[in-house]
Amino acid sequence: MASKLWGGRFQKSTDALTDDFNASISFDARLYKQDIQGSMAHAEMLGRQGIITEAEADTIRDGLKSILDDIEAGKIEFSQEMEDIHMNIESILIERIGDTGKKLHTGRSRNDQVATDMRLFVKEACADIKALIADFANTLLDLAARNKTTVMPGYTHLQRAQPVTFAHHLMAYVEMLKRDTTRFENVSDMADSLPLGAGALATTTYPLDRYYTAQVLGFKGICLNSMDAVSDRDYAIDFLEAVSVLMMHLSRLSEEVVLWCSSEFGFITLDDAFSTGSSIMPQKKNPDIPELIRGKTGRTYGDLMAFLTTMKGLPLAYNKDMQEDKEPVFDAYDTAAICLKIITKMMATVTVNKDTMKQAAGGGFVDATDAADWLVGRGVPFRDAHAIVGKLVFYALEQGKTLRELTLEEYRQIDPVFDESVYDAIDLKNCVSRRDVIGGPAPAIVDRALAIDRSFFAKK
Ligand code: ARG
């Protein structure tokens, strides 16, 4: 009742279960820094505009600073009765500085306050995730730089298709990470307008200077419509979407890592520090880390779907449903951050089994396209060349041989146009280095891509 900041019009206390159900302090305590930052900027602006005195603004800001220090020193316990981080901090402020503290909420509502806090959080989260993506991308680029001539089979339908290099394969993921980086930059832009000053939904009668508050808080602009300002959570949804796409990328690489470190592939060996054993099978070395990353991708999709669904039927403007933005955003952020950190360490320490990769590339007829291309070089139309090499492959399969193992005699039985130089055309190294179209696996081309990628992430 009276103890609640909004208790004036109530005759009865809230039920204990109502407090329990309504409170968000158990999870929004995490916004204390953003909340204090926002309140300090608001108080400064109120003082500057003469809505409160400069002295009062200073007292409020000193009080908020002492609360911030005490929270960080672990000296403050928040109360569930005070519902959320906003009212907890305001009530502690009033306890500390008395009546002046009661002036902080002038020209403000929790609705524009919480929207401001969340935007500040999302902007910081985007910057953090971007930095972690850059670390990961640089680790992949280091690994790629060491494997520019490591030939491996490239796959389609998980069937050996054409030879590539491990560098080229890894750098496909770097492309995804570049798009992820841009995506988080866009999300940050979406969050970069100040809602504060929108009040509960219809602004206020005080002469606020919203541009000043925006400048103090580092927002590029202000939300133009007060009703949209308090009811917009697009930036949170955009963040969840960007995390989901990022996690989908990490999950795809994780899936490949799981395959690659199986005995069936044997392309890489995970460091012991990033593997686990079995409680029953003494021989096991399991890839739990990439499996967990793959698994955790699901929960980030859940975060996105949960909050999208929360928002879909809400009338303007603020509704309490929107308090449900926090847990998905926090969870998605935490999940993406830990997954990026561990996948970076894991990939930095893998052993690449170059010979196994090469051996795999030697089987499965990944050189068949090159044999056909050789025929095209002799004037055979590609469709006919395709059919001729198809016959060759069928014959070789019957003989239990690779294309390289067939004798020239055998080639000529299929088509007399073949000569000795076909062996050079299907040499795996040549197959790769001749694919020197921009975007291809030839080491010279990969070198250029490496330089472009390095400079992309150096600027981030
Ligand atoms: N804890 C609330 C939230 O996160 C703060 C805003 C509450 N506003 C209100 N009018 N009840 O959404």
Side-chain angles (χ1 to χ4, degrees), residues 35-109:
D35 198 66
I36 289 177
Q37 204 187 341
S39 290
M40 281 182 162
H42 181 66
E44 186 183 336
M45 182 275 293
L46 290 177
R48 212 166 164 266
Q49 295 298 101
I51 299 166
I52 61 174
T53 68
E54 296 268 6
E56 285 169 335
D58 288 345
T59 308
I60 289 173
R61 283 164 54 204
D62 290 347
L64 288 168
K65 176 77 176 75
S66 78
I67 295 172
L68 178 65
D69 292 344
D70 287 352
I71 293 173
E72 298 204 313
K75 289 190 200 151
I76 288 186
E77 224 174 278
F78 295 121
S79 101
Q80 172 156 294
E81 213 205 348
M82 280 299 140
E83 199 179 315
D84 57 25
I85 188 63
H86 324 293
M87 291 204 289
N88 265 277
I89 289 175
E90 192 182 332
S91 68
I92 298 167
L93 181 73
I94 294 167
E95 247 170 59
R96 290 195 178 183
I97 65 168
D99 282 353
T100 306
K102 296 180 183 167
K103 297 193 173 184
L104 169 61
H105 214 52
T106 313
R108 183 178 81 167
S109 153

Side-chain angles (χ1 to χ4, degrees), residues 24 28 83-84 86 110-111 114 233 318 320 322-323 325-326:
S24 52
D28 70 11
E83 199 179 315
D84 57 25
H86 324 293
R110 270 187 299 157
N111 298 352
V114 71
R233 293 293 182 278
Y318 179 83
K320 192 66 176 251
M322 288 152 73
Q323 179 165 287
D325 60 354
K326 291 170 195 65

Side-chain angles (χ1 to χ4, degrees), residues 374-381:
W374 182 91
L375 286 168
V376 170
R378 296 293 146 121
V380 181

Side-chain angles (χ1 to χ4, degrees), residues 168-401:
H168 193 55
H169 194 129
L170 290 172
M171 285 166 67
Y173 286 97
V174 175
E175 290 300 312
M176 300 177 214
L177 296 174
K178 281 155 68 182
R179 292 195 293 275
D180 287 324
T181 300
T182 306
R183 216 170 272 119
F184 281 102
E185 282 170 355
N186 292 343
V187 175
S188 190
D189 281 349
M190 285 291 186
D192 213 0
S193 300
L194 176 78
L196 212 55
L201 78 163
T203 72
T204 78
T205 53
Y206 303 100
L208 306 181
D209 183 350
R210 298 184 63 205
Y211 288 105
Y212 184 74
T213 315
Q215 188 195 319
V216 172
L217 289 174
F219 282 99
K220 268 194 207 144
I222 60 169
C223 301
L224 191 59
N225 180 294
S226 62
M227 295 181 75
D228 180 54
V230 293
S231 66
D232 170 31
R233 293 293 182 278
D234 291 2
Y235 57 88
I237 291 169
D238 291 338
F239 179 76
L240 295 170
E241 192 259 350
V243 167
S244 296
V245 176
L246 164 70
M247 288 298 296
M248 179 264 288
H249 295 152
L250 302 190
S251 184
R252 291 183 71 178
L253 177 59
S254 294
E255 166 67 11
E256 299 218 80
V257 167
V258 171
L259 290 172
W260 289 341
C261 67
S262 68
S263 314
E264 282 67 19
F265 278 78
F267 288 0
I268 60 173
T269 308
L270 292 184
D271 194 85
D272 279 1
F274 299 97
S275 308
T276 51
S278 156
S279 58
I280 173 171
M281 297 166 282
Q283 85 284 10
K284 289 300 286 290
K285 179 170 164 181
N286 293 329
D288 289 29
I289 303 302
E291 287 172 291
L292 265 176
I293 294 169
R294 196 175 57 188
K296 283 178 188 291
T297 302
R299 66 188 283 157
T300 62
Y301 294 1
D303 291 331
L304 171 63
M305 289 318 297
F307 190 53
L308 259 180
T309 311
T310 295
M311 290 300 293
K312 78 178 254 294
L314 301 190
L316 296 183
Y318 179 83
N319 302 271
K320 192 66 176 251
D321 316 47
M322 288 152 73
Q323 179 165 287
E324 291 290 310
D325 60 354
K326 291 170 195 65
E327 286 164 295
V329 166
F330 297 159
D331 181 67
Y333 168 69
D334 292 340
T335 304
I338 185 98
C339 288
L340 280 165
K341 283 180 196 163
I342 198 151
I343 203 169
T344 302
K345 284 185 155 200
M346 181 185 79
M347 292 309 286
T349 53
V350 294
T351 304
V352 181
N353 304 323
K354 299 187 181 188
D355 288 340
T356 314
M357 284 190 185
K358 198 170 153 196
Q359 225 174 341
F365 300 96
V366 297
D367 47 6
T369 314
D370 296 83
D373 289 342
W374 182 91
L375 286 168
V376 170
R378 296 293 146 121
V380 181
F382 182 77
R383 267 297 146 237
D384 295 338
H386 186 290
I388 294 166
V389 178
K391 276 188 208 148
L392 258 181
V393 169
F394 183 77
Y395 173 81
L397 276 170
E398 277 191 322
Q399 304 300 309
K401 287 181 173 181

